[in-house]
Amino acid sequence: MLRAKMVTSKLLQSSLKSQTGSFTKHFSASKRLSENLYQIPLLARFYGTDASLQKEDSTTNGFKGHDMLAPFTAGWQSTDVHPLVIEKSEGSYVYDVNGKKYLDSLAGLWCTALGGSEPRLVAAATAQLNTLPFYHSFWNRTTKPSLDLAKELLEMFTASKMAKVFFTNSGSEANDTQVKLVWYYNNALGRPNKKKFIARQKSYHGSTMIAASLSGLPALHQKFDLPAPFVLHTDCPHYWRYAHPGETEEEYSTRLANNLEDLILKEGPETIAAFIAEPVMGAGGVIPPPATYFEKVQAVVKKYDILFIADEVICAFGRLGTMFGCDKYSIKPDLVSFAKALSSAYMPIGAILVSPEVSEVIHSQSNTLGSFSHGFTYSGHPVSCAVAIEALKIYKERNIVEQVNKIAPKFQDGVKAFSDSPIIGEIRGTGLILGTEFADNKSPNEPFPPEWGIGAYFGAQCEKHGMLVRVSGDNIMMSPPFIMSPAEVDELISKYGKALKATEERVKELKSQQ
């Protein structure tokens, strides 16, 4: 064991030195200022995108070296740092095992739309557990909650007509299933070569093998032998970062649509099956589309008989100030993926909406083959469906879209008021989703040195002041619960401001040492 620890330590030291020659200088400097708040974020920048930033002190309960293989976490974090262990939730807040209270500005992982203590969702789960805790949906057997939820979703979604619903347990499974459905559909139509998918750089569609392949984030591909060869990636529609000097949003959208068409023609339209997109890109940095983007992209894919898949996993059920992202951007998809706020994350569930054109072909092909041989043990789990049905009832009864639109301006304007900060390149967002990107001289072409760990330092300061945010490199993301009060938004803005001020001071110090 001791030998293994020594080898690991040497590997970490060697890797760190190879990634930045200036590391030692800045690491030594950190000992003179806020060692705990700087050292851990710096390491987090190299070995993980969103580390727990807990201090190594006697007040933290000892879960360091725990037994989980933790998702999206570097090995050293589990071994060397106490995790932030959340014990309970209450409205827009969560509490750790030491009793510290945090404003949860990410709503868990973009998902607890109704906060962490909605009694009606708990009651719905309890009632269903007491009635029928489980039954499957294979072989034309099913449960009433799954049938009722499918009907409700088809009635709610009006951006384009949908005919059938397929249930999964997550957004990743939903997007994996989308690929299988599209392949099944094209095989049934006698188009065996129409199998490639086009996604976008910086997109996030999940972490299973196919969903990670669709995602345009390199970290999801590295050492996993991904992406799969049938996945192509086109431009990320980030206007601030990628627009040419003097180019309007409309002109930028035209260029991206032309690039998409060029990619289709290069590969051969007869080989391209579908295009998948999030209405607002989430984990890639919160990137709303530029003006006219979806109008122009939809025209291209329709021209070449390519299906449009809307990944609404983050955007659906009110996040953007419309019930669905497709409503906001006039997207008329052939297939749609849901998860997260579908149950306000109280139970795992995902769903796919399938258009009449696609579902009719699938039904016909399954009749020919004798079965549609795809599904999961927990597809349409009755407890998950019961909770989702209650969540949708609450969204309607409380007019959640109106509620989001009441609070969103205060949230957006309050955070964007910090846009003049010299260390902020851009603050972007809409509704109750927002991203901050740190950059030197406010330029997309002048990132801070990665060894400075500016984003992680900001995240540590937020945590210190009792607020949790999503950190990914020098991007900060927030998507608070829909139930936030005006006072809680004020609290969020205040804590953001305190963290920003401390981060500005940190940047000044680091620049003075150059």
Side-chain angles (χ1 to χ4, degrees), residues 144-221:
K144 189 67 162 47
S146 62
L147 295 174
D148 290 346
L149 179 58
K151 185 174 188 295
E152 182 65 26
L153 286 171
L154 291 176
E155 290 176 354
M156 284 184 72
F157 189 84
T158 60
S160 56
K161 182 174 176 56
M162 294 290 159
K164 297 290 180 179
V165 179
F166 181 88
F167 289 115
T168 68
N169 306 293
S170 67
S172 293
E173 283 186 3
N175 287 326
D176 257 33
T177 295
Q178 295 284 21
V179 173
K180 290 186 71 176
L181 290 182
V182 171
W183 283 350
Y184 195 89
Y185 166 78
N186 278 317
N187 285 333
L189 292 176
R191 305 190 297 197
N193 296 322
K194 203 170 178 66
K195 298 294 173 62
K196 295 176 185 174
F197 279 68
I198 298 178
R200 302 178 298 172
Q201 297 290 345
K202 293 194 177 181
S203 63
Y204 181 81
H205 299 292
S207 63
T208 51
M209 189 176 83
I210 292 178
S213 292
L214 294 171
S215 300
L217 298 171
L220 293 167
H221 304 155

Side-chain angles (χ1 to χ4, degrees), residues 239-259:
Y239 178 74
W240 174 74
R241 177 161 292 282
Y242 298 117
H244 292 163
E247 190 174 40
T248 67
E249 288 194 34
E250 292 80 0
E251 290 167 343
Y252 177 58
S253 294
T254 298
R255 176 160 64 85
L256 266 54
N258 289 340
N259 289 349

Side-chain angles (χ1 to χ4, degrees), residues 351-362:
I352 290 170
L353 302 189
V354 187
S355 69
E357 294 77 11
V358 175
S359 64
E360 286 167 11
V361 172
I362 290 173

